[in-house]
Amino acid sequence: MRYLGLGDTHDVPEATQWAGAHLSWLAEHALFPGQSIFLAATELLERHFVTGQSELENENLASLLAWIDNDPRQGLTQILAADETALGPVPDPVWEASLEPLVKAWTEHQRAGDQAGMAKAAARVEALVAPKLREAYEATWKALDRARQIPVAGSVASRWETDKRQWGAHALRAEQRIPRFARRHDVLRAAYMMEEWSGALEQLAFHEAIDDPLVLAELDAAGRCVSGKVCEVNLENHEVKPGNKNKTLVPILHIELAGPSTLLVEDSVLWAGKPTVRAEIRSIDEGKAVLAVLSGHKHGALLPARGSTAVFAAMSTFGGQSPTGPDEVPWTHRVAEEAIEPDDVGEADDGSPDLSAGELLGLPVVGVIGSDAVPGVVL
Amino acid sequence: MSSKPKTKRDFTTLNADITTEVVQRLDRVGKHGAVIAEAPPGAGKSTLTGSVAKALVDREPKLRLAIVTQTNEQADDIVGNIAQRYAGLPIARLTSGDGPSHAVQKLLGPSVTTGSKGDDPDVHAARVVVSTARKWQYERSRLQSKGITAFPIALIDEAYQMRSDMLLGIADLFDTLFCVGDPGQLDPFSIVDDSLWKGLPYSPTRAALATLRLFHQDLEPLLLPISWRLPPSAAGIVSSAFYPFTGFDAGTVAEERSLELGVAKPWCGSGPAPTDLALEKAASEGWAYVELPERFTLRTDVELAATLASLVERLLVRGATVIDELHPGGKELTPGRIAVITAHNDQVHAVRYELAKRKVDPDGVIVSTANKIQGREYDVVFVWHPLAGRRDATTFHLEAGRMCVMLSRHRQACIVVGRAGATQLLEEFPDSDPVFLGEPEKFPDGWQANHEVLQHLARFRVG
C-alpha cells in the first residue's frame, strides 16, 4: 500500500497513502524485540501460557484461547470444537473458497456497469465476512483481557518509553509529509538494525528473567545460575580491581548450591534480587560456590543476607556502546567495481514501486482455480 | 561411498602441500580477494591455520597478520596452538577491557602478549594478532574516524559459523582474507526475526561466506580431502549425507582403528546385559542404533536419558582399549574421551542426572549439546536422536548441520539412541516453514540427510 500513488501508477486517495505509511512503520516496528505497540494476540498469550499444542497449532487464536480457558471438567470437548474455527494467520480454506464466487460476481457486475448487482454482491460478501471478522475481533479483545490479568512487570515502563520515542520519531517525519519507506533495507541499514534488534533482544531476555521467576527458573534449570543458601558473607576481603591502584572492598559470598550449574570459574553473574550487583565466580565445585562481588554492592550494604536463598544468573547485560557500522559498503559485500552493471546500483532506497504499471498489466494471471477444485490447493 | 583401495597418506606432507597452495592462491587473488578452504570434520583445520600463519610471516619479514575467530575460546586455543608449535613467533591476543582469560595469562611472556587496543605497543610489536570478530568490529569502529591502516591479510577461523553482518563490520580492516571452515556444520544463528531480510544476498543473518561468495562468484574453495578423525566406518555415511558434492575420505584404514572392550563382567540381571549388545556392535562395526519402542514423550524423555546413562555406565564398567594410528599399542579409554551429545540443554541435564544416579561422575564424561560441541573430538560418542519421541519434525530438529555435528565427533564408534517411528514422522510431518523468494536452498537438505542417516542406522539396530 505504501507504493500506491507513487510514480503516477495508481490514483489513490491521500488517506490510503497515509495508511500505507503507518502500516509500514508498524510492520517494521513489530520486529523490534520487546515492543508493545503491534502484537499478535497469539504471540502475547503464548509467552505466558503453555498448551498441549505445537507452536504451529498455537497460531490459531480460537484453539489457543480454548486451551487457556478450558474448564477442566469438560475434557477436550471445547478445545476440539474450537479447532474447527480458524482465527489464525491463514483463513479456513473451505470458507475462503465460498467467498470466491461472490467476489467474482461483484467484478462481473462492475464490468457490466450494473450498480444494483454490485450492491447485492457486496451485501452478500459482507454477510459472509462480517461474522468471521466479528469473531476474530472479539477473540482478540478476549486475549487482551486475559493478558491484562497478568500483573505488569517492572521493566514494562522503560520498554514503553522506547516505543513512545520510536513512534515520536515517525510522527516527526510525518509532520513534513507522508513518510516514505525503502523497498528493502540496504546493506548498512540491515546491519545497523541487526545490531539494534540484537541489543534489544538481549535486554529483553535480561529483564524478563529479573521480572519473572518462571523465566529465571528456566535459566536455572539450564544450569545458567548459581543458586542456593548463602552460608557465609565475608566483608573483610579487599583487592585491587583491574584498572584500580588501591585496594577496595570485594565481598566474598559462599553459596551452598541447590542445583547443578554449568557455570565455570571466572564467569560473571548478576544477583537476581538486585541486578546491579555483579559478581565473579571464584570457585564452583562439589555443591559449593564462592563468589566475589565486584560492583554494585554499595560498600557491602547491598548483598543477600547470610542464611537467605539467592540466585545469581549468568546474563549478559552489556550496556556499552555498540560499534558503529562502516561508512561505506566494504569490498566483501559488493561486487568488484569493474563488474558492476549500471542497473545494479542505487535502487534499493528510492521508494519506487516494484513494478511499473505497464509491467503489472503484462503479468500473466496464475492460480486460476476451477469451480470443482479442492479449496486451498493450487495445481 | 568410495571403495577404492586406500594408500596410507601422510598428514604432515599433505598439510605442507595445502599450505603452499593457500599461500600461492593468496598471492594470486591480491587486494580485495579471498581464499576459502572447506574442511570436513577432523581435516586438520587448526593445524592448517597455524601453518599458513607461520608461512606468511616467515615469507615477508614486515607482514603483520590478523586472525579472526568466532569465540574467545577459539581465539585462546589458536594462541595456545601457535605458541606451542612455533615458539618465539611474536603473537598477541587482543581482548576486551576485561583482559585475557587464565588460559592466555599462563602463556604470556616475551613472545605472547596481550592488550585491548591494536595500537598498544605490545600488540603492535606482534607479528600475529588474534581476536574475535566482535572485538575486531570494535577495533574497526574505533579507527573509523582516525583512519584505518588495513592488515594486508587476515585468517578467519571457523568462517562458516560467522554471520554476514560480522564480516561487514570488520572487512575494512583487511585487504585479503583466508577463510577456513566446515560448511557441513551448524550455520550461524540469530534469534532476531530476520523475515524482513529474506532473499537479500547481504542479509545480516546469512552466513558470511554465503554473502562473500554471492558478491565474488569467482571464488573457488580449496577442498581439504581427508578426515583424520572419522574412522573409515563413518567417513562414508557422513560424506554422502552431509557433503554430497564435495565428499571426503578417511585418512586411516580400518585396520588402524579398533576399540577393544573389556571382558563382559557379570551384571545384576540374568543373561547378557542388554547394553552389551549395543556396545559390542559399536566396537566391531563402528555404529550401533538402540531403538526404544515408539512413544510420544516430553523433550526430556526419562527412558531415553536412562538408556544413554546405562550405556555409558556399562562402557566404563567394562573398560576399553583404544587402538589407533597415534597409539598402535593401545591406550585405555578414559571418561574424558567419551561424549554424550543432545539437541537441547534440558536433555543434557536429564542425562547428567541419570549418570549421577548410577554413581557415574557427570563431569567425568562430556555431556553437551551439538551447538556447543562443534569442533571437538572424542573416541566414543553417544547421541540422543533429535527426533526421538517427537510429534513434530521442525527445522531445528531436522537441521543437517546439527546431525552432522552429532555424527562426526568420534574417532572409534558412535552409538545413537532413538525411538521407533522416526522414519514415519519424517515421512508424514508436513513442512510448515514459509518459502521465501530469493533465499538459497539450505544445502544439504535436512530432511534428506536425516532420511539417509536413519536408513544407515537401521543396519545397526539393536534392542
Side-chain angles (χ1 to χ4, degrees), chain A residues 234-320:
Chain A
N234 171 0
L235 291 175
E236 304 299 313
N237 182 54
H238 290 75
E239 294 176 15
V240 182
K241 287 192 272 193
N244 284 7
K245 286 210 176 90
N246 300 319
K247 283 189 170 183
T248 45
L249 172 65
V250 175
I252 302 286
L253 306 175
H254 290 251
I255 292 179
E256 225 165 83
L257 294 178
S261 172
T262 54
L263 298 181
L264 302 169
V265 171
E266 273 194 76
D267 279 347
S268 177
V269 287
L270 301 168
W271 180 26
K274 195 81 194 167
T276 43
V277 176
R278 190 172 72 86
E280 177 189 273
I281 300 180
R282 286 285 161 87
S283 79
I284 184 158
D285 211 2
E286 308 200 337
K288 286 217 162 87
V290 178
L291 305 181
V293 183
L294 296 177
S295 61
H297 53 77
K298 300 251 163 83
H299 308 290
L302 258 186
L303 289 172
R306 198 175 146 213
S308 67
T309 306
V311 182
F312 284 82
M315 283 184 287
S316 115
T317 55
F318 175 72

Side-chain angles (χ1 to χ4, degrees), chain B residues 218-239:
Chain B
D218 48 338
L219 295 179
E220 209 36 68
L222 182 69
L223 307 175
L224 271 59
I226 288 170
S227 171
W228 302 93
R229 172 194 307 148
L230 290 174
S233 61
I237 172 69
V238 173
S239 170

Side-chain angles (χ1 to χ4, degrees), chain B residues 244-364:
Chain B
F245 282 161
T246 51
F248 62 87
D249 288 324
T252 50
V253 291
E255 297 76 51
E256 283 174 287
R257 296 271 176 99
S258 65
L259 185 68
E260 287 172 8
L261 293 171
V263 282
K265 288 176 190 148
W267 68 302
C268 41
S270 57
T275 44
D276 280 341
L277 292 173
L279 294 176
E280 277 157 16
K281 191 165 201 87
S284 63
E285 297 178 40
W287 294 95
Y289 180 44
V290 180
E291 195 175 59
L292 301 179
E294 182 167 1
R295 181 194 285 172
F296 291 140
T297 64
L298 288 177
R299 210 159 77 177
T300 51
D301 180 348
V302 178
E303 196 186 350
L304 210 146
T307 307
L308 280 166
S310 313
L311 285 162
V312 173
E313 182 196 16
R314 186 71 183 160
L315 178 59
L316 290 172
V317 167
R318 286 188 67 167
T321 307
V322 175
I323 297 165
D324 61 17
E325 66 284 7
L326 306 171
H327 309 90
K331 61 163 186 172
E332 193 197 340
L333 175 70
T334 52
R337 298 290 301 161
I338 301 172
V340 183
I341 311 178
T342 69
H344 296 281
N345 271 315
D346 46 10
Q347 294 170 340
V348 167
H349 288 288
V351 173
R352 286 172 57 94
Y353 178 77
E354 290 294 334
L355 285 170
K357 245 170 64 178
R358 287 165 176 74
K359 305 267 179 292
V360 176
D361 177 10
D363 294 320

Side-chain angles (χ1 to χ4, degrees), chain B residues 1-4 6 9 40-43 224-254 257 285-287 404 407-414 452-453 456 459-460:
Chain B
M1 256 170 274
S2 74
S3 54
K4 61 183 175 235
K6 289 193 184 105
R9 274 165 281 205
L224 271 59
I226 288 170
S227 171
W228 302 93
R229 172 194 307 148
L230 290 174
S233 61
I237 172 69
V238 173
S239 170
S240 80
F242 304 105
Y243 302 85
F245 282 161
T246 51
F248 62 87
D249 288 324
T252 50
V253 291
R257 296 271 176 99
E285 297 178 40
W287 294 95
C404 179
L407 299 188
S408 62
R409 301 300 100 203
H410 63 283
R411 287 176 65 85
Q412 294 286 350
C414 180
E452 196 168 337
V453 165
H456 166 80
R459 293 172 24 218
F460 303 92

